Amino acid sequence: MADSPTPTTGKLRDAEVRLHLLGGFRLTHDDTPVVVPRGLQRVIALIGLRPATTRTHLAGLLWPETTEERALSSLRTALWRLRQDPYCPLATNADTVRLDPAVQVDVDKLVDTAGRVRDGQTPADAAQALAAGRHDLLPGWYDEWVLTERERLRQLRLHMLEQVAGHHLVAGRHGEALDAALEAMAAEPLRETPHRLVVRIHLAEGNAFEAVHAFYVYRDLLLRELRLEPSPAMSALLDDTLEPIRRASQAASTSRRYPALRSTQQGG
């Protein structure tokens, strides 16, 4: 079967086609869902996540427990079935398969936003940046390639949110910084970095109570879940704030242990 290097359908050019992989597989054509059998969903999803991958590699990832020859045969059959749909979102050539350039993929938007943040740009739509990637990649799918991509995107989003919070903190936009840090905290409650950012933001605002409260909430969580203490770097953030409290506590403890000494000090 000869493959054309051009898109497999002309109808995509005049329509808005979206592939949603975050939160579950969904293919839409002008906001109308396109019904795709589960087996073919796997093919489209992998091609969307691994553009310009060779057919041999795709076949090996999709059918890892069979021979290369049988895997390639299964891939050819799947691609043939996809081409029967007039809204097939694929473009193929002799050795590679990719999505048609007209298809918009939500994963690509997350990766693009994270890249711009990494380059020091503040996202134009802050709310959209915070929401990007809020849902896991293809929940309920347990293929090895899905698990790998899911963790990669999760880490990408966490770092993006922390970088957004850091940018806002440096610029003095404490409210926006806190929003991003709390979003990262919700995504991974045991991760220290967003908790550390929350403490720094409260300190920058002059809210010592909020900073101390945030520290001890995280400390209690970490002790309860992992029997660990926060890192020295996080504890050091509150050294200046907690020092007067520590001195007062030590003085009170000394007074309770040595009341005679306290009387002497008062009398002197």
Side-chain angles (χ1 to χ4, degrees):
M1 180 186 301
D3 289 319
S4 168
T6 58
T8 56
T9 174
K11 294 191 176 184
L12 293 178
R13 297 303 178 188
D14 302 319
E16 185 175 70
V17 181
R18 298 177 182 271
L19 176 60
H20 305 267
L21 301 177
L22 300 172
F25 183 97
R26 190 160 57 97
L27 181 66
T28 61
H29 178 272
D30 280 339
D31 294 326
T32 301
V34 177
V35 178
V36 182
R38 179 60 180 266
L40 298 184
Q41 288 181 17
R42 293 174 68 246
V43 178
I44 294 174
L46 179 57
I47 292 170
L49 292 169
R50 301 286 182 91
T53 301
T54 65
R55 292 176 182 240
T56 300
H57 192 198
L58 287 174
L61 291 172
L62 289 166
W63 294 278
E65 298 179 357
T66 189
T67 64
E68 180 178 315
E69 182 178 354
R70 292 190 63 182
L72 283 169
S73 176
S74 297
L75 179 61
R76 284 193 295 271
T77 300
L79 294 177
W80 179 84
R81 289 177 63 193
L82 284 169
R83 291 191 192 99
Q84 307 315 300
D85 191 316
Y87 301 119
C88 172
L90 303 180
T92 63
N93 61 29
D95 192 46
T96 62
V97 186
R98 64 175 66 237
L99 291 180
D100 187 282
V103 180
Q104 302 175 46
V105 186
D106 56 359
V107 170
D108 291 344
K109 291 185 178 180
L110 170 59
V111 173
D112 177 66
T113 301
R116 286 187 283 111
V117 169
R118 187 173 56 246
D119 293 338
Q121 301 178 35
T122 301
D125 189 335
Q128 187 176 33
L130 296 189
R134 185 173 287 164
H135 302 291
D136 281 341
L137 175 74
L138 298 170
W141 292 31
Y142 300 104
D143 306 73
E144 185 174 344
W145 54 271
V146 174
L147 297 177
T148 300
E149 287 296 311
R150 185 181 298 156
E151 179 60 19
R152 182 182 74 85
L153 293 174
R154 190 180 76 89
Q155 291 292 333
L156 184 73
R157 180 173 186 258
L158 284 170
H159 283 89
M160 176 190 72
L161 291 171
E162 291 165 359
Q163 288 169 335
V164 168
H167 292 165
H168 286 315
L169 176 57
V170 170
R173 296 186 292 268
H174 299 134
E176 292 90 336
L178 191 59
D179 285 343
L182 291 175
E183 187 76 33
M185 188 188 301
E188 182 47 80
L190 291 173
R191 184 179 172 93
E192 181 175 301
T193 318
H195 289 272
R196 198 185 304 168
L197 278 164
V198 169
V199 171
R200 289 176 56 201
I201 293 164
H202 287 316
L203 290 174
E205 291 182 302
N207 293 323
F209 167 77
E210 295 285 2
V212 173
H213 177 71
F215 173 83
Y216 280 107
V217 165
Y218 177 62
R219 181 176 182 270
D220 291 345
L221 174 66
L222 207 57
L223 285 171
R224 184 172 64 250
E225 298 294 331
L226 300 176
R227 296 187 178 181
L228 294 175
E229 288 276 355
S231 72
M234 184 167 185
S235 299
L237 291 174
L238 291 172
D239 279 349
D240 292 340
T241 302
L242 293 178
E243 186 57 32
I245 301 174
R246 292 177 183 139
R247 287 200 301 267
S249 298
Q250 290 171 355
S253 176
T254 300
S255 297
R256 286 193 297 269
R257 289 184 185 180
Y258 308 106
L261 175 61
R262 180 185 176 186
S263 299
T264 301
Q265 291 174 339
Q266 290 176 344

